[in-house]
Amino acid sequence: MNTDNKNSPFGEVIYSYTRSQAVADGAQVEVSKTAQEAGIRFPVFLTRAVYDAYVTVPPGVTCQDEAGRLWDLMTMARFAILRSRPGCDRLPVALYVRNDNRAPRLVRLTAVCGPLDMDDPQPAITVMLMDED
């Protein structure tokens, strides 16, 4: 038994999955450079589901590119941050996305602020689908 955890009210850690592992596995995508350009100071990550559904351009969709779609997402995340109340760590992010050659549809996401990783408490933002955690 790990002596560091013997006094923990939760007991010994059975399994942990770090953010760096999630990025290496492709479960999360770091988009901090674009986020900084959009005015977000913290590191930003997208879940793979968000990236695939709303940044990657579906086949056959015209007049769209990943850089522009990511910029739109980061801009709307920044606006959500600016509108938030102090101390709020979960924010709704809404934007219109065109995933076909018809009119764009409203997409609702959640941005969560938490530690960058298990051993690094600096703040980071994760943008995820409403039903992800």
Side-chain angles (χ1 to χ4, degrees), residues 3 8 39 57 62 69 71 78 83 99 107 111 115 126 132-133:
T3 57
S8 169
V57 180
T62 60
R69 290 164 67 101
W71 178 258
R78 181 174 180 265
R83 288 189 316 260
N99 276 340
V107 172
T126 306
E132 289 184 300
D133 196 29

Side-chain angles (χ1 to χ4, degrees), residues 16-45:
S16 65
Y17 187 65
T18 66
R19 185 184 305 271
S20 56
Q21 288 173 312
V23 170
D25 292 347
Q28 291 189 4
V29 179
E30 183 172 7
V31 295
S32 299
K33 183 176 184 246
T34 303
Q36 285 179 340
E37 292 169 1
I40 300 173
R41 293 182 297 160
F42 299 146
V44 177
F45 300 84

Side-chain angles (χ1 to χ4, degrees), residues 34-90:
T34 303
Q36 285 179 340
E37 292 169 1
I40 300 173
R41 293 182 297 160
F42 299 146
V44 177
F45 300 84
L46 306 179
T47 63
R48 174 54 62 187
V50 168
Y51 191 89
D52 288 348
Y54 305 119
V55 176
T56 301
V57 180
V61 176
T62 60
C63 302
Q64 296 279 297
D65 65 33
E66 287 189 10
R69 290 164 67 101
L70 179 57
W71 178 258
D72 291 347
L73 177 53
M74 291 300 95
T75 300
M76 296 312 291
R78 181 174 180 265
F79 288 140
I81 292 166
L82 291 172
R83 288 189 316 260
S84 69
R85 291 174 289 144
C88 186
D89 64 353
R90 290 183 80 85

Side-chain angles (χ1 to χ4, degrees), residues 15 19 39 41 47 56 58 75 79 82 102-103 105 109 112-114 122 128-129:
Y15 178 77
R19 185 184 305 271
R41 293 182 297 160
T47 63
T56 301
T75 300
F79 288 140
L82 291 172
R102 298 183 191 140
R105 292 185 211 153
L109 305 170
V112 178
C113 187
Q122 74 171 313
M128 60 188 72
L129 300 176

